Amino acid sequence: MPKVPQISEAEWEVMRVLWARAPQTANEVCAALADSTTWSPRTIKTLLNRLVNKGALKYKPQGRAYHYLPAVSESACVRAASRSFLKRVFGGALTPMLVHFLEEEKLSADEIAELRSMLDERRD
Amino acid sequence: MPKVPQISEAEWEVMRVLWARAPQTANEVCAALADSTTWSPRTIKTLLNRLVNKGALKYKPQGRAYHYLPAVSESACVRAASRSFLKRVFGGALTPMLVHFLEEEKLSADEIAELRSMLDERRD
DNA sequence: CATAAAATATTACATCTGTAATCAAAAGTC
DNA sequence: GACTTTTGATTACAGATGTAATATTTTATG
C-alpha cells in the first residue's frame, strides 16, 4: 500500500486537474480552475508548491516553466481518503455508510441497475 | 436543512460518544474514550469545550460537574460530512463513489443481501 | 472557615489550511 | 547588456486542529 500524503480540500481540486491531464504548466492548471473556483493564480501557485513539497506532485523544468504531474496515483489517494472518511464519520463501518448514501441520495434507475449488477458479481 | 458546525476528526470521536449516550459528564466521556484513544483527559476537556463553543454540544450544570449532550443531530452531521467528502474526493459524483466502495472493500454475503434489498426497494 | 480536590476556563504552541503578496531569478526585448 | 516580464520561491497572516499545561473557580473536608 503506497503511503500517500495528506491532501487538503483545496489541494484536491488541483490534484484532480492533474490526474485528469498531465503534465501541465501552472498556467494551464490556473486556466483549468478558472471556471470552478475564484482563486487567484497566486493561490494556485501556492497550492502547487505545497503539493510538490508534500510529495503529491512532481515537476519537470520544461524550458521557461515547470510541467507539473502527479507523484501519487488518484486511486491510492481516493482509497486513503475514503478510509479516513469511513473511519471518521461511520467509525469504520462500511455497510451503514453505504446504507446512508443509498437512502439519502437520489439514484437514477440506471445507477441502481449498475449497482445491482455489481452486487451480483460479488455473490459467489 | 439544519446548519451544522465544522467538526474535526478528533472532535468526531467525542461526538460519537455523546450521540451514543447522553448526557454524560466530562469524566464519563474520558472513560469512554480511554480504550480507543491515548488522549489525555486535558485534551478531551479541550475538545468538549471547543464543541460547546462551536455549537455542536450543550451542557447542563448538574451539581458539581457539567452534563454534556449533543446540540446537533448525528444524522445532520453525517449528512454534511458525507456531502463534503463526496464533493472533495469524487467531485460530487455519487455512483463512482459507491462503485469504489463496492469494489474496494470486503462485503459479507449478508451485507450484500442487505444492500440488494435496499436497491430493490428503490426500484419503482 | 481554610485548604485541598475537582472541574471548568484560559492560555500555549506547533502544524495545516486558505488565501495571497512580495522577492528573486531567468528569459525575452530594445 | 539593462530593463521588463514571467515564473517559481519565500514570506505573511489569520483561523482550525492536535495536544496539552496552567489558572481559576467551585465544592467537599477537616
mmCIF file of all heavy atoms in Angstrom, chain B residues 4-49:
data_model
loop_
_atom_site.group_PDB
_atom_site.id
_atom_site.type_symbol
_atom_site.label_atom_id
_atom_site.label_comp_id
_atom_site.label_asym_id
_atom_site.label_seq_id
_atom_site.Cartn_x
_atom_site.Cartn_y
_atom_site.Cartn_z
ATOM 1 N N VAL B 4 -24.927 22.670 10.332
ATOM 2 C CA VAL B 4 -24.116 22.047 11.366
ATOM 3 C C VAL B 4 -22.723 22.647 11.353
ATOM 4 O O VAL B 4 -22.225 23.045 10.312
ATOM 5 C CB VAL B 4 -24.030 20.520 11.159
ATOM 6 C CG1 VAL B 4 -25.411 19.904 11.168
ATOM 7 C CG2 VAL B 4 -23.298 20.183 9.891
ATOM 8 N N PRO B 5 -22.103 22.720 12.522
ATOM 9 C CA PRO B 5 -20.749 23.274 12.569
ATOM 10 C C PRO B 5 -19.749 22.302 11.973
ATOM 11 O O PRO B 5 -20.034 21.116 11.793
ATOM 12 C CB PRO B 5 -20.498 23.456 14.061
ATOM 13 C CG PRO B 5 -21.396 22.476 14.725
ATOM 14 C CD PRO B 5 -22.600 22.347 13.840
ATOM 15 N N GLN B 6 -18.594 22.822 11.682
ATOM 16 C CA GLN B 6 -17.477 22.019 11.179
ATOM 17 C C GLN B 6 -16.893 21.212 12.335
ATOM 18 O O GLN B 6 -16.511 21.774 13.355
ATOM 19 C CB GLN B 6 -16.432 22.972 10.590
ATOM 20 C CG GLN B 6 -15.202 22.323 10.030
ATOM 21 C CD GLN B 6 -15.488 21.736 8.662
ATOM 22 O OE1 GLN B 6 -16.489 22.051 8.034
ATOM 23 N NE2 GLN B 6 -14.604 20.870 8.208
ATOM 24 N N ILE B 7 -16.851 19.912 12.186
ATOM 25 C CA ILE B 7 -16.381 19.040 13.257
ATOM 26 C C ILE B 7 -15.115 18.324 12.792
ATOM 27 O O ILE B 7 -15.130 17.660 11.773
ATOM 28 C CB ILE B 7 -17.473 18.022 13.625
ATOM 29 C CG1 ILE B 7 -18.687 18.758 14.201
ATOM 30 C CG2 ILE B 7 -16.948 17.002 14.626
ATOM 31 C CD1 ILE B 7 -19.874 17.878 14.452
ATOM 32 N N SER B 8 -14.050 18.485 13.553
ATOM 33 C CA SER B 8 -12.769 17.906 13.131
ATOM 34 C C SER B 8 -12.723 16.422 13.460
ATOM 35 O O SER B 8 -13.590 15.882 14.152
ATOM 36 C CB SER B 8 -11.623 18.624 13.838
ATOM 37 O OG SER B 8 -11.456 18.098 15.132
ATOM 38 N N GLU B 9 -11.674 15.797 12.975
ATOM 39 C CA GLU B 9 -11.516 14.359 13.163
ATOM 40 C C GLU B 9 -11.564 13.953 14.634
ATOM 41 O O GLU B 9 -12.333 13.062 15.021
ATOM 42 C CB GLU B 9 -10.176 13.940 12.556
ATOM 43 C CG GLU B 9 -9.829 12.506 12.803
ATOM 44 C CD GLU B 9 -9.383 11.831 11.515
ATOM 45 O OE1 GLU B 9 -9.228 12.528 10.490
ATOM 46 O OE2 GLU B 9 -9.203 10.601 11.539
ATOM 47 N N ALA B 10 -10.756 14.599 15.463
ATOM 48 C CA ALA B 10 -10.732 14.254 16.887
ATOM 49 C C ALA B 10 -12.087 14.560 17.518
ATOM 50 O O ALA B 10 -12.576 13.807 18.369
ATOM 51 C CB ALA B 10 -9.624 15.036 17.586
ATOM 52 N N GLU B 11 -12.694 15.633 17.084
ATOM 53 C CA GLU B 11 -13.991 16.007 17.651
ATOM 54 C C GLU B 11 -15.075 14.989 17.314
ATOM 55 O O GLU B 11 -15.988 14.754 18.111
ATOM 56 C CB GLU B 11 -14.382 17.404 17.155
ATOM 57 C CG GLU B 11 -13.527 18.514 17.748
ATOM 58 C CD GLU B 11 -13.650 19.836 17.003
ATOM 59 O OE1 GLU B 11 -14.300 19.869 15.926
ATOM 60 O OE2 GLU B 11 -13.083 20.838 17.470
ATOM 61 N N TRP B 12 -14.972 14.382 16.155
ATOM 62 C CA TRP B 12 -15.939 13.341 15.792
ATOM 63 C C TRP B 12 -15.952 12.217 16.808
ATOM 64 O O TRP B 12 -17.002 11.675 17.152
ATOM 65 C CB TRP B 12 -15.639 12.771 14.404
ATOM 66 C CG TRP B 12 -16.429 13.430 13.316
ATOM 67 C CD1 TRP B 12 -16.025 14.486 12.568
ATOM 68 C CD2 TRP B 12 -17.747 13.086 12.861
ATOM 69 N NE1 TRP B 12 -17.012 14.835 11.678
ATOM 70 C CE2 TRP B 12 -18.081 13.984 11.836
ATOM 71 C CE3 TRP B 12 -18.676 12.119 13.229
ATOM 72 C CZ2 TRP B 12 -19.300 13.948 11.166
ATOM 73 C CZ3 TRP B 12 -19.893 12.081 12.560
ATOM 74 C CH2 TRP B 12 -20.203 12.993 11.546
ATOM 75 N N GLU B 13 -14.786 11.840 17.287
ATOM 76 C CA GLU B 13 -14.716 10.767 18.286
ATOM 77 C C GLU B 13 -15.547 11.130 19.510
ATOM 78 O O GLU B 13 -16.288 10.309 20.045
ATOM 79 C CB GLU B 13 -13.266 10.550 18.711
ATOM 80 C CG GLU B 13 -12.372 9.992 17.635
ATOM 81 C CD GLU B 13 -12.736 8.555 17.285
ATOM 82 O OE1 GLU B 13 -13.031 7.783 18.198
ATOM 83 O OE2 GLU B 13 -12.733 8.226 16.087
ATOM 84 N N VAL B 14 -15.386 12.373 19.928
ATOM 85 C CA VAL B 14 -16.099 12.830 21.121
ATOM 86 C C VAL B 14 -17.600 12.880 20.845
ATOM 87 O O VAL B 14 -18.415 12.419 21.661
ATOM 88 C CB VAL B 14 -15.585 14.216 21.541
ATOM 89 C CG1 VAL B 14 -16.412 14.776 22.682
ATOM 90 C CG2 VAL B 14 -14.108 14.130 21.934
ATOM 91 N N MET B 15 -17.962 13.400 19.697
ATOM 92 C CA MET B 15 -19.383 13.492 19.358
ATOM 93 C C MET B 15 -20.011 12.104 19.320
ATOM 94 O O MET B 15 -21.142 11.910 19.781
ATOM 95 C CB MET B 15 -19.567 14.182 18.009
ATOM 96 C CG MET B 15 -19.251 15.669 17.995
ATOM 97 S SD MET B 15 -20.171 16.648 19.193
ATOM 98 C CE MET B 15 -21.842 16.560 18.532
ATOM 99 N N ARG B 16 -19.284 11.156 18.774
ATOM 100 C CA ARG B 16 -19.877 9.814 18.662
ATOM 101 C C ARG B 16 -20.200 9.229 20.036
ATOM 102 O O ARG B 16 -21.222 8.558 20.210
ATOM 103 C CB ARG B 16 -18.975 8.878 17.859
ATOM 104 C CG ARG B 16 -19.592 8.537 16.498
ATOM 105 C CD ARG B 16 -19.035 7.267 15.918
ATOM 106 N NE ARG B 16 -17.603 7.257 15.961
ATOM 107 C CZ ARG B 16 -16.833 7.759 15.018
ATOM 108 N NH1 ARG B 16 -17.363 8.269 13.929
ATOM 109 N NH2 ARG B 16 -15.524 7.732 15.137
ATOM 110 N N VAL B 17 -19.331 9.508 20.987
ATOM 111 C CA VAL B 17 -19.605 9.046 22.351
ATOM 112 C C VAL B 17 -20.924 9.640 22.852
ATOM 113 O O VAL B 17 -21.767 8.938 23.419
ATOM 114 C CB VAL B 17 -18.451 9.455 23.292
ATOM 115 C CG1 VAL B 17 -18.844 9.232 24.745
ATOM 116 C CG2 VAL B 17 -17.190 8.691 22.941
ATOM 117 N N LEU B 18 -21.119 10.918 22.616
ATOM 118 C CA LEU B 18 -22.302 11.568 23.174
ATOM 119 C C LEU B 18 -23.552 11.306 22.333
ATOM 120 O O LEU B 18 -24.668 11.365 22.850
ATOM 121 C CB LEU B 18 -22.041 13.058 23.343
ATOM 122 C CG LEU B 18 -21.120 13.346 24.540
ATOM 123 C CD1 LEU B 18 -20.438 14.679 24.427
ATOM 124 C CD2 LEU B 18 -21.907 13.237 25.846
ATOM 125 N N TRP B 19 -23.367 11.024 21.075
ATOM 126 C CA TRP B 19 -24.532 10.620 20.287
ATOM 127 C C TRP B 19 -25.003 9.234 20.728
ATOM 128 O O TRP B 19 -26.189 8.939 20.726
ATOM 129 C CB TRP B 19 -24.203 10.609 18.791
ATOM 130 C CG TRP B 19 -24.275 11.964 18.152
ATOM 131 C CD1 TRP B 19 -25.180 12.954 18.403
ATOM 132 C CD2 TRP B 19 -23.405 12.485 17.134
ATOM 133 N NE1 TRP B 19 -24.922 14.052 17.621
ATOM 134 C CE2 TRP B 19 -23.837 13.783 16.823
ATOM 135 C CE3 TRP B 19 -22.295 11.960 16.451
ATOM 136 C CZ2 TRP B 19 -23.219 14.566 15.866
ATOM 137 C CZ3 TRP B 19 -21.681 12.752 15.496
ATOM 138 C CH2 TRP B 19 -22.139 14.039 15.210
ATOM 139 N N ALA B 20 -24.054 8.404 21.123
ATOM 140 C CA ALA B 20 -24.409 7.046 21.542
ATOM 141 C C ALA B 20 -25.140 7.070 22.880
ATOM 142 O O ALA B 20 -26.105 6.341 23.084
ATOM 143 C CB ALA B 20 -23.156 6.180 21.640
ATOM 144 N N ARG B 21 -24.701 7.934 23.777
ATOM 145 C CA ARG B 21 -25.366 8.002 25.078
ATOM 146 C C ARG B 21 -25.144 9.390 25.651
ATOM 147 O O ARG B 21 -24.009 9.855 25.718
ATOM 148 C CB ARG B 21 -24.776 6.925 26.006
ATOM 149 C CG ARG B 21 -25.534 6.736 27.300
ATOM 150 C CD ARG B 21 -25.237 5.345 27.892
ATOM 151 N NE ARG B 21 -23.890 4.907 27.515
ATOM 152 C CZ ARG B 21 -22.804 5.128 28.264
ATOM 153 N NH1 ARG B 21 -22.900 5.759 29.403
ATOM 154 N NH2 ARG B 21 -21.625 4.688 27.854
ATOM 155 N N ALA B 22 -26.219 10.037 26.042
ATOM 156 C CA ALA B 22 -26.127 11.388 26.589
ATOM 157 C C ALA B 22 -27.287 11.574 27.560
ATOM 158 O O ALA B 22 -28.294 10.880 27.442
ATOM 159 C CB ALA B 22 -26.179 12.419 25.467
ATOM 160 N N PRO B 23 -27.130 12.484 28.507
ATOM 161 C CA PRO B 23 -25.941 13.286 28.802
ATOM 162 C C PRO B 23 -24.883 12.487 29.536
ATOM 163 O O PRO B 23 -25.183 11.475 30.155
ATOM 164 C CB PRO B 23 -26.498 14.396 29.687
ATOM 165 C CG PRO B 23 -27.656 13.771 30.387
ATOM 166 C CD PRO B 23 -28.243 12.772 29.421
ATOM 167 N N GLN B 24 -23.660 12.989 29.419
ATOM 168 C CA GLN B 24 -22.542 12.398 30.141
ATOM 169 C C GLN B 24 -21.636 13.505 30.659
ATOM 170 O O GLN B 24 -21.517 14.550 30.031
ATOM 171 C CB GLN B 24 -21.714 11.504 29.214
ATOM 172 C CG GLN B 24 -22.348 10.181 28.863
ATOM 173 C CD GLN B 24 -21.370 9.255 28.164
ATOM 174 O OE1 GLN B 24 -20.487 8.694 28.771
ATOM 175 N NE2 GLN B 24 -21.529 9.104 26.869
ATOM 176 N N THR B 25 -20.991 13.219 31.774
ATOM 177 C CA THR B 25 -20.022 14.181 32.301
ATOM 178 C C THR B 25 -18.725 14.053 31.501
ATOM 179 O O THR B 25 -18.508 13.070 30.788
ATOM 180 C CB THR B 25 -19.697 13.898 33.775
ATOM 181 O OG1 THR B 25 -19.037 12.630 33.855
ATOM 182 C CG2 THR B 25 -20.969 13.864 34.612
ATOM 183 N N ALA B 26 -17.859 15.052 31.671
ATOM 184 C CA ALA B 26 -16.551 15.011 31.005
ATOM 185 C C ALA B 26 -15.816 13.733 31.391
ATOM 186 O O ALA B 26 -15.226 13.064 30.530
ATOM 187 C CB ALA B 26 -15.737 16.240 31.391
ATOM 188 N N ASN B 27 -15.886 13.377 32.642
ATOM 189 C CA ASN B 27 -15.180 12.169 33.083
ATOM 190 C C ASN B 27 -15.736 10.919 32.430
ATOM 191 O O ASN B 27 -14.978 10.009 32.080
ATOM 192 C CB ASN B 27 -15.256 12.042 34.606
ATOM 193 C CG ASN B 27 -14.238 12.944 35.270
ATOM 194 O OD1 ASN B 27 -13.289 13.395 34.634
ATOM 195 N ND2 ASN B 27 -14.446 13.224 36.545
ATOM 196 N N GLU B 28 -17.019 10.881 32.257
ATOM 197 C CA GLU B 28 -17.608 9.712 31.604
ATOM 198 C C GLU B 28 -17.162 9.644 30.150
ATOM 199 O O GLU B 28 -16.863 8.567 29.630
ATOM 200 C CB GLU B 28 -19.138 9.768 31.702
ATOM 201 C CG GLU B 28 -19.646 9.499 33.118
ATOM 202 C CD GLU B 28 -21.131 9.804 33.293
ATOM 203 O OE1 GLU B 28 -21.661 10.686 32.593
ATOM 204 O OE2 GLU B 28 -21.764 9.156 34.138
ATOM 205 N N VAL B 29 -17.094 10.791 29.517
ATOM 206 C CA VAL B 29 -16.610 10.819 28.135
ATOM 207 C C VAL B 29 -15.154 10.356 28.095
ATOM 208 O O VAL B 29 -14.773 9.554 27.239
ATOM 209 C CB VAL B 29 -16.753 12.226 27.529
ATOM 210 C CG1 VAL B 29 -16.102 12.286 26.159
ATOM 211 C CG2 VAL B 29 -18.222 12.611 27.445
ATOM 212 N N CYS B 30 -14.368 10.846 29.028
ATOM 213 C CA CYS B 30 -12.959 10.413 29.086
ATOM 214 C C CYS B 30 -12.878 8.905 29.243
ATOM 215 O O CYS B 30 -12.075 8.238 28.575
ATOM 216 C CB CYS B 30 -12.250 11.092 30.253
ATOM 217 S SG CYS B 30 -11.961 12.849 30.012
ATOM 218 N N ALA B 31 -13.696 8.359 30.126
ATOM 219 C CA ALA B 31 -13.681 6.912 30.340
ATOM 220 C C ALA B 31 -14.052 6.181 29.055
ATOM 221 O O ALA B 31 -13.435 5.178 28.688
ATOM 222 C CB ALA B 31 -14.655 6.548 31.463
ATOM 223 N N ALA B 32 -15.040 6.701 28.359
ATOM 224 C CA ALA B 32 -15.493 6.042 27.133
ATOM 225 C C ALA B 32 -14.411 6.052 26.060
ATOM 226 O O ALA B 32 -14.366 5.167 25.206
ATOM 227 C CB ALA B 32 -16.753 6.732 26.618
ATOM 228 N N LEU B 33 -13.552 7.069 26.105
ATOM 229 C CA LEU B 33 -12.520 7.196 25.076
ATOM 230 C C LEU B 33 -11.183 6.591 25.508
ATOM 231 O O LEU B 33 -10.238 6.556 24.720
ATOM 232 C CB LEU B 33 -12.321 8.668 24.702
ATOM 233 C CG LEU B 33 -13.487 9.303 23.942
ATOM 234 C CD1 LEU B 33 -13.298 10.802 23.845
ATOM 235 C CD2 LEU B 33 -13.620 8.689 22.553
ATOM 236 N N ALA B 34 -11.130 6.118 26.718
ATOM 237 C CA ALA B 34 -9.849 5.626 27.239
ATOM 238 C C ALA B 34 -9.319 4.458 26.416
ATOM 239 O O ALA B 34 -8.124 4.356 26.174
ATOM 240 C CB ALA B 34 -10.003 5.220 28.702
ATOM 241 N N ASP B 35 -10.221 3.601 25.969
ATOM 242 C CA ASP B 35 -9.778 2.431 25.214
ATOM 243 C C ASP B 35 -9.351 2.789 23.800
ATOM 244 O O ASP B 35 -8.305 2.363 23.324
ATOM 245 C CB ASP B 35 -10.913 1.409 25.117
ATOM 246 C CG ASP B 35 -11.270 0.847 26.485
ATOM 247 O OD1 ASP B 35 -10.715 1.348 27.489
ATOM 248 O OD2 ASP B 35 -12.099 -0.065 26.549
ATOM 249 N N SER B 36 -10.180 3.567 23.146
ATOM 250 C CA SER B 36 -9.969 3.779 21.716
ATOM 251 C C SER B 36 -8.944 4.862 21.412
ATOM 252 O O SER B 36 -8.494 4.973 20.279
ATOM 253 C CB SER B 36 -11.295 4.116 21.047
ATOM 254 O OG SER B 36 -11.897 5.219 21.701
ATOM 255 N N THR B 37 -8.570 5.665 22.400
ATOM 256 C CA THR B 37 -7.598 6.721 22.139
ATOM 257 C C THR B 37 -6.521 6.729 23.221
ATOM 258 O O THR B 37 -6.633 6.039 24.225
ATOM 259 C CB THR B 37 -8.256 8.120 22.121
ATOM 260 O OG1 THR B 37 -8.532 8.515 23.467
ATOM 261 C CG2 THR B 37 -9.534 8.124 21.322
ATOM 262 N N THR B 38 -5.513 7.574 22.997
ATOM 263 C CA THR B 38 -4.466 7.745 24.008
ATOM 264 C C THR B 38 -4.502 9.165 24.536
ATOM 265 O O THR B 38 -3.530 9.641 25.121
ATOM 266 C CB THR B 38 -3.083 7.474 23.384
ATOM 267 O OG1 THR B 38 -2.868 8.426 22.332
ATOM 268 C CG2 THR B 38 -2.994 6.080 22.812
ATOM 269 N N TRP B 39 -5.603 9.849 24.318
ATOM 270 C CA TRP B 39 -5.661 11.261 24.687
ATOM 271 C C TRP B 39 -5.669 11.466 26.191
ATOM 272 O O TRP B 39 -6.354 10.752 26.925
ATOM 273 C CB TRP B 39 -6.923 11.905 24.100
ATOM 274 C CG TRP B 39 -6.968 11.866 22.613
ATOM 275 C CD1 TRP B 39 -5.909 11.789 21.768
ATOM 276 C CD2 TRP B 39 -8.142 11.886 21.799
ATOM 277 N NE1 TRP B 39 -6.350 11.779 20.466
ATOM 278 C CE2 TRP B 39 -7.717 11.836 20.467
ATOM 279 C CE3 TRP B 39 -9.508 11.957 22.070
ATOM 280 C CZ2 TRP B 39 -8.600 11.846 19.386
ATOM 281 C CZ3 TRP B 39 -10.397 11.980 21.010
ATOM 282 C CH2 TRP B 39 -9.942 11.926 19.681
ATOM 283 N N SER B 40 -4.961 12.480 26.594
ATOM 284 C CA SER B 40 -5.033 12.939 27.975
ATOM 285 C C SER B 40 -6.437 13.481 28.250
ATOM 286 O O SER B 40 -7.090 14.037 27.361
ATOM 287 C CB SER B 40 -3.998 14.036 28.179
ATOM 288 O OG SER B 40 -4.419 14.943 29.160
ATOM 289 N N PRO B 41 -6.922 13.338 29.486
ATOM 290 C CA PRO B 41 -8.210 13.935 29.849
ATOM 291 C C PRO B 41 -8.225 15.435 29.536
ATOM 292 O O PRO B 41 -9.273 15.982 29.160
ATOM 293 C CB PRO B 41 -8.288 13.683 31.351
ATOM 294 C CG PRO B 41 -7.468 12.456 31.570
ATOM 295 C CD PRO B 41 -6.348 12.544 30.570
ATOM 296 N N ARG B 42 -7.088 16.080 29.660
ATOM 297 C CA ARG B 42 -7.000 17.509 29.317
ATOM 298 C C ARG B 42 -7.411 17.736 27.881
ATOM 299 O O ARG B 42 -8.141 18.665 27.548
ATOM 300 C CB ARG B 42 -5.566 18.032 29.519
ATOM 301 C CG ARG B 42 -4.973 17.748 30.852
ATOM 302 C CD ARG B 42 -5.907 18.198 31.946
ATOM 303 N NE ARG B 42 -5.311 18.032 33.259
ATOM 304 C CZ ARG B 42 -4.590 18.938 33.873
ATOM 305 N NH1 ARG B 42 -4.372 20.103 33.278
ATOM 306 N NH2 ARG B 42 -4.107 18.718 35.065
ATOM 307 N N THR B 43 -6.883 16.898 27.061
ATOM 308 C CA THR B 43 -7.195 17.023 25.637
ATOM 309 C C THR B 43 -8.696 16.859 25.397
ATOM 310 O O THR B 43 -9.313 17.621 24.637
ATOM 311 C CB THR B 43 -6.419 15.956 24.850
ATOM 312 O OG1 THR B 43 -5.031 16.186 25.046
ATOM 313 C CG2 THR B 43 -6.740 16.030 23.371
ATOM 314 N N ILE B 44 -9.275 15.901 26.053
ATOM 315 C CA ILE B 44 -10.709 15.663 25.855
ATOM 316 C C ILE B 44 -11.528 16.832 26.395
ATOM 317 O O ILE B 44 -12.506 17.262 25.769
ATOM 318 C CB ILE B 44 -11.103 14.326 26.527
ATOM 319 C CG1 ILE B 44 -10.360 13.179 25.815
ATOM 320 C CG2 ILE B 44 -12.607 14.121 26.468
ATOM 321 C CD1 ILE B 44 -10.532 11.831 26.452
ATOM 322 N N LYS B 45 -11.102 17.405 27.512
ATOM 323 C CA LYS B 45 -11.784 18.591 28.029
ATOM 324 C C LYS B 45 -11.728 19.725 27.008
ATOM 325 O O LYS B 45 -12.696 20.449 26.790
ATOM 326 C CB LYS B 45 -11.131 19.063 29.336
ATOM 327 C CG LYS B 45 -11.084 18.053 30.464
ATOM 328 C CD LYS B 45 -12.409 17.856 31.137
ATOM 329 C CE LYS B 45 -12.315 16.880 32.296
ATOM 330 N NZ LYS B 45 -11.615 17.409 33.481
ATOM 331 N N THR B 46 -10.557 19.873 26.399
ATOM 332 C CA THR B 46 -10.415 20.910 25.377
ATOM 333 C C THR B 46 -11.392 20.671 24.227
ATOM 334 O O THR B 46 -12.058 21.601 23.756
ATOM 335 C CB THR B 46 -8.983 20.925 24.821
ATOM 336 O OG1 THR B 46 -8.087 21.227 25.877
ATOM 337 C CG2 THR B 46 -8.841 21.969 23.722
ATOM 338 N N LEU B 47 -11.475 19.423 23.810
ATOM 339 C CA LEU B 47 -12.368 19.110 22.694
ATOM 340 C C LEU B 47 -13.827 19.375 23.081
ATOM 341 O O LEU B 47 -14.599 19.938 22.287
ATOM 342 C CB LEU B 47 -12.171 17.658 22.263
ATOM 343 C CG LEU B 47 -10.799 17.349 21.660
ATOM 344 C CD1 LEU B 47 -10.629 15.850 21.443
ATOM 345 C CD2 LEU B 47 -10.595 18.097 20.345
ATOM 346 N N LEU B 48 -14.199 18.999 24.284
ATOM 347 C CA LEU B 48 -15.560 19.272 24.747
ATOM 348 C C LEU B 48 -15.829 20.776 24.705
ATOM 349 O O LEU B 48 -16.875 21.228 24.234
ATOM 350 C CB LEU B 48 -15.746 18.740 26.179
ATOM 351 C CG LEU B 48 -15.855 17.219 26.324
ATOM 352 C CD1 LEU B 48 -15.750 16.809 27.781
ATOM 353 C CD2 LEU B 48 -17.158 16.707 25.715
ATOM 354 N N ASN B 49 -14.866 21.514 25.188
ATOM 355 C CA ASN B 49 -15.016 22.966 25.213
ATOM 356 C C ASN B 49 -15.185 23.539 23.820
ATOM 357 O O ASN B 49 -16.074 24.366 23.562
ATOM 358 C CB ASN B 49 -13.780 23.564 25.876
ATOM 359 C CG ASN B 49 -14.174 24.693 26.785
ATOM 360 O OD1 ASN B 49 -14.844 25.621 26.356
ATOM 361 N ND2 ASN B 49 -13.790 24.598 28.042
#
